[in-house]
Amino acid sequence: MSVDATPDRAVRPTGTEEVQVELRAKANEIKARYPVGRERSALLPMLHLVQSADGYVSPEGIAFCAAELGLTKAEVGAVATFYTMYKRRPVGEYLVSVCTNTMCGVLGGQKAYEVLSEYLGVGHDQTTPDGQITLEHAECLAACDYAPVLTVNYEFYDQVDSGQALELVKQLQNGERPQPTRGARLCSFKEISLQLAGFHADKDPGIADGPAGEPTLAGNRLAERTGVSVPNFDPNTPIPPVAPKATTPPPAAPKPAVDRKPAGDTPAGANDPREGDKK
Amino acid sequence: MTEELLTPVLTKRWLSPDAWKLSTYERLDGYTALRKAFAAHPDELIALIKESGLRGRGGAGFPTGLKWGFIPQGDGRPHYLVVNADEGEPGTCKDLPYMMADPHGLIEGIVIAAYAIRANHAFIYVRGEAVHAYRRLQSAVREAYARGYLGRNILGSGFDCELTVHAGAGAYICGEETALLESLEGYRGQPRLKPPFPATHGLYEAPTVVNNVETLASVPYIVLGGADWWKSMGTEKSPGPKIYSISGHVKNPGQYECPLGITLRQLLELSGGVRDGHQLKFWTPGGSSTPYFTAEHLDVPLDFEGAAAAGSMLGTTAVMVFDETICIVGATLRFIEFYAHESCGKCTPCREGNYWMVQVLRRLENGEGTEEDLATLLDICDNIFGRSFCALGDGATSSVVSSIKYFRDEYIAHVREGRCPLGNVPVHATAGAH
């Protein structure tokens, strides 16, 4: 059974002026990451942004993106429905994604998915009645050497069998936030959506940290143990000269300091010739 | 000793504590290749990469230097460098650990490549689900800006390079370079017809190089060590080290950086062999889009030429190992469910073909198929292969065709016994899911 945490007629946060002011400021920051005139590139991060307010891509969220980028709601909706991570119904506090692709599936992921589905009483892309947990089976999560894996709000829990998966979900239900295997800390679905829009604070200790697991280091450990290294590496090996082609300009001369901006502020290329919009 | 086959080059910093931090990277000679590159003319760098024989690590193996050389110079248009970090091919798991362990290595490779092709803005398109790698890249990019490795007039060279880290939103197809560009422009991730190629009409219709993470991560080492040193590893046409990702029924799955041309027999020795009491049944050399190999292919050299000559492809060197307990029909069905889910829907052969292959494979797995279904599957594959804009459909046919080639008897046994001969009970997690 699927339950919408938000009644249909309620005004979603993105529909309120107060939230919109905050979102608009962030939307401007997102747009500034792309070349002038190419702001449509901001659409994907902006859809993550509206999910951070509403917990899914709501009609208000689509209207917000459309207004910010000068697109129609249909154009935004066409993009939002293409991508798996944009959710059409409110997601619970925790999105539990179990990899059931071939490798994880045969190593225990399929069993884990079934156990969780039965325990929670929900199927794929459905949320528990209390609005806490949304379950989904995921396609390959690019962690086959850690199989079977699952993620909670996209944080990895590696080598998790069905028993451990069940224990993990029970901890979530008890209000605990178990430590993800690769570091960082578990947060809510809305909070991770904000991070996916590109907003996380470096000062938040450990958010980008976390050690590598043994499978990642397996080859290195073996090389270290056996003293293997690659011979004859000389970092001062000269780069052979090539006669520049007649048509090739020399390396760019330093740009005038007048258009210097703080590093990382906006994209370069204010001096780049721009072409008309593509479509 | 098999261990001597290890070539820790791209992975050599991974064991260092806090390997992903700038302070660690600088201590371990980080950004020295960038200084060296700035002392050379961009054309010299393109020539160096050509001479090294570096081939794209995203699966296709296209010569990297040649790709860089396709960018028209002096054309007065902006150029872009786009990094394909949308790792998601089943079995493939090398770029995420790389970016987690050594994000500055990627950034250094990006700046060198951008300088070589005269691009002043680069983008890393990271798979959305890989949020931890995304955060780590963002932090590394901030560090690099603060220390002058990115931004205006980098290290006093006069060269400007902005770098934007961009998170995707869950679509395997965006690993296809033109779909990636569509997605990065804010559209549905559907492939473009080629030609024109990205080299002349890429991001924002401007000349663009799209390179895989591991490809760009290789660049600083070639700049430092030179083409001859790089070619001292690997084979003549596939030189250099490569990160092989071994998963499945082996004792020690994980990442093993070895010279191109290593064999599965050697990789199994490195990774402890197939789990005790079991035997190798089938394996992929490079992800779910590469035709299966079997125990008869243990000594096939895993470079671009060797894998192709033996009837498969090197792909992303994602070596998935399955033992005799795994039903070939079930495994193949699960892959095809993936392709059916991930087909973008643009081209009819891929969209419809994968849908129908799922139906046929399901009834075969359930013991409700017929022997004629095998001909039907092969016929569908004929109608998918080579008939779509991109290679997603082609990749889907790999597991179907090769599984029937090597395990026809097992398919037939499903039909004759009316159930899986291995006793596997079919389950379909994807029922109703789209």
Side-chain angles (χ1 to χ4, degrees):
Chain A
M1 185 180 63
S2 166
V3 175
D4 284 4
T6 311
D8 271 354
R9 289 177 182 280
V11 175
R12 255 76 52 168
T14 307
T16 65
E17 182 56 29
E18 188 188 350
V19 172
Q20 281 195 7
V21 169
E22 200 178 310
L23 291 183
R24 268 197 290 271
K26 289 197 160 64
N28 285 333
E29 279 186 59
I30 295 172
K31 283 188 269 188
R33 297 174 196 156
Y34 305 93
V36 174
R38 304 298 185 182
E39 287 78 9
R40 181 165 177 159
S41 284
L43 181 52
L44 266 67
M46 216 177 280
L47 284 162
H48 286 304
L49 179 69
V50 298
Q51 285 206 139
S52 78
D54 292 346
Y56 75 117
V57 177
S58 64
E60 291 86 345
I62 287 180
F64 175 85
C65 294
E68 280 296 312
L69 295 171
L71 302 171
T72 66
K73 285 186 276 187
E75 286 173 314
V76 175
V79 173
T81 53
F82 185 83
Y83 297 93
T84 309
M85 291 172 74
Y86 300 133
K87 303 302 183 188
R88 301 192 215 182
R89 290 186 296 277
V91 173
E93 181 88 350
Y94 301 108
L95 174 65
V96 177
S97 313
V98 185
C99 179
T100 55
N101 203 299
T102 305
M103 184 53 78
C104 279
V106 303
L107 293 179
Q110 184 64 45
K111 174 85 175 158
Y113 176 83
E114 287 164 24
V115 165
L116 293 186
S117 180
E118 187 182 340
Y119 171 72
L120 294 169
V122 295
H124 172 74
D125 198 23
Q126 294 180 346
T127 302
T128 53
D130 61 2
Q132 275 296 298
I133 294 174
T134 300
L135 180 67
E136 66 176 7
H137 78 81
E139 292 301 354
C140 185
L141 293 166
C144 309
D145 49 343
Y146 290 94
V149 300
L150 63 79
T151 61
V152 180
N153 294 339
Y154 305 114
E155 305 289 0
F156 275 96
Y157 294 86
D158 297 323
Q159 294 164 329
V160 172
D161 64 23
S162 58
Q164 292 163 315
L166 187 58
E167 184 58 31
L168 176 63
V169 164
K170 286 179 177 172
Q171 285 179 291
L172 297 175
Q173 289 179 319
N174 288 336
E176 296 167 49
R177 289 186 169 181
Q179 174 65 42
T181 313
R182 301 182 199 182
R185 281 183 311 284
L186 190 58
C187 59
S188 71
F189 179 75
K190 289 179 179 176
E191 288 167 332
I192 204 70
S193 297
L194 188 62
Q195 292 186 20
L196 280 161
F199 299 95
H200 85 263
D202 276 334
K203 61 180 183 291
D204 187 356
I207 194 158
D209 288 347
E214 283 310 307
T216 292
L217 303 174
N220 277 313
R221 292 246 192 265
L222 194 56
E224 188 184 53
R225 209 160 48 234
T226 51
V228 171
S229 64
V230 176
N232 304 322
F233 176 72
D234 175 9
N236 296 315
T237 307
I239 297 173
V242 173
K245 293 177 205 149
T247 55
T248 305
K255 298 261 174 22
V258 285
D259 59 2
R260 188 177 298 266
K261 289 180 185 169
D265 178 20
T266 52
N271 53 350
D272 285 338
R274 297 292 154 191
E275 297 156 85
D277 207 303
K278 189 180 91 134
K279 290 179 185 176
Chain B
M1 289 293 285
T2 316
E3 293 81 19
E4 286 166 13
L5 291 169
L6 290 163
T7 48
V9 176
L10 276 67
T11 56
K12 72 175 179 186
R13 291 192 189 87
W14 291 12
L15 286 175
S16 308
D18 292 349
W20 56 91
K21 292 190 171 159
L22 180 57
S23 51
T24 312
Y25 191 67
E26 285 179 326
R27 195 174 66 246
L28 301 173
D29 301 328
Y31 290 108
T32 54
L34 181 60
R35 291 172 206 276
K36 188 175 173 185
F38 280 148
H41 189 280
D43 288 345
E44 292 171 349
L45 294 169
I46 295 176
L48 173 71
I49 298 302
K50 276 184 188 166
E51 177 58 29
S52 76
L54 175 65
R55 297 173 65 171
R57 301 319 201 204
F62 193 82
T64 305
L66 201 57
K67 193 185 250 189
W68 291 7
F70 285 155
I71 297 297
Q73 295 301 340
D75 57 345
R77 303 161 73 195
H79 300 169
Y80 295 104
L81 174 67
V82 177
V83 185
N84 187 343
D86 191 45
E87 184 164 60
E89 161 109 358
T92 306
C93 48
K94 65 187 179 63
D95 294 336
L96 295 190
Y98 178 85
M99 292 187 290
M100 290 289 285
D102 203 1
H104 284 285
L106 176 59
I107 295 170
E108 185 170 12
I110 288 170
V111 181
I112 295 170
Y115 172 71
I117 66 164
R118 288 80 147 177
N120 297 113
H121 199 153
F123 299 82
I124 309 176
Y125 186 105
V126 192
R127 177 178 182 173
E129 291 94 334
V131 66
H132 203 10
Y134 175 60
R135 279 189 303 246
R136 193 161 282 184
L137 281 166
Q138 279 186 310
S139 295
V141 165
R142 273 180 218 155
E143 282 183 309
Y145 267 112
R147 289 292 283 269
Y149 297 122
L150 285 168
R152 298 282 168 134
N153 190 19
I154 297 169
L155 301 176
S157 65
F159 178 68
D160 303 338
C161 186
E162 304 292 334
L163 178 55
T164 300
V165 191
H166 179 101
Y172 166 68
I173 187 62
C174 292
E176 195 282 334
E177 64 176 6
T178 62
L180 186 154
L181 295 173
E182 285 287 299
S183 180
L184 184 52
E185 291 185 13
Y187 294 88
R188 297 163 72 91
Q190 295 189 311
R192 300 172 180 172
L193 191 62
K194 295 191 276 191
F197 292 94
T200 56
H201 296 76
L203 185 65
Y204 312 131
E205 289 198 344
T208 301
V209 163
V210 184
N211 277 153
N212 170 260
V213 169
E214 192 184 354
T215 310
L216 288 168
S218 302
V219 167
Y221 297 101
I222 298 171
V223 168
L224 289 174
D228 288 339
W229 169 76
W230 185 259
K231 287 189 286 190
S232 72
M233 294 167 276
T235 57
E236 187 189 345
K237 290 182 177 170
S238 301
K242 180 80 189 69
I243 304 173
Y244 289 82
S245 311
I246 306 171
S247 62
H249 290 136
V250 296
K251 282 185 194 155
N252 303 308
Q255 311 298 323
Y256 294 83
E257 190 175 8
C258 299
L260 279 161
I262 195 166
T263 65
L264 181 67
R265 188 184 300 281
Q266 292 165 326
L267 287 172
L268 284 175
E269 283 174 32
L270 291 173
S271 57
V274 173
R275 62 178 177 159
D276 286 336
H278 294 275
Q279 300 89 44
L280 173 67
K281 178 173 176 180
F282 64 100
W283 56 289
T284 70
S288 61
S289 296
T290 60
Y292 297 139
F293 276 150
T294 66
E296 68 183 85
H297 302 100
L298 274 167
D299 297 308
V300 168
L302 296 177
D303 60 0
F304 291 102
E305 290 69 33
S312 187
M313 292 179 283
L314 187 66
T316 53
T317 59
V319 179
M320 289 187 278
V321 176
F322 298 94
D323 70 18
E324 83 289 347
T325 63
I326 302 304
C327 167
I328 193 75
V329 181
T332 304
L333 165 61
R334 196 59 203 88
F335 282 140
I336 299 305
E337 286 175 333
F338 168 80
Y339 288 103
H341 181 259
E342 299 297 336
S343 172
C344 78
K346 184 166 186 164
C347 307
T348 309
C350 173
R351 181 187 67 236
E352 298 299 318
N354 279 303
Y355 171 84
W356 285 108
M357 288 208 291
V358 169
Q359 312 311 312
V360 175
L361 284 163
R362 274 189 188 157
R363 73 176 177 235
L364 278 165
E365 193 197 29
N366 290 336
E368 295 159 359
T370 64
E371 294 187 26
E372 196 188 347
D373 281 341
L374 298 190
T376 304
L377 283 173
L378 293 174
D379 191 45
I380 296 173
C381 287
D382 262 355
N383 280 295
I384 295 176
F385 192 89
R387 295 177 202 267
S388 297
F389 271 36
C390 82
L392 187 144
D394 295 356
T397 67
S398 290
S399 61
V400 175
V401 173
S402 61
S403 65
I404 294 174
K405 178 178 172 187
Y406 297 118
F407 299 99
R408 177 179 283 270
D409 290 349
E410 193 174 325
Y411 275 95
I412 300 290
H414 278 77
V415 173
R416 297 202 176 147
E417 295 178 28
R419 63 184 181 89
C420 174
L422 278 64
N424 290 0
V425 181
V427 282
H428 301 298
T430 52
H434 285 288

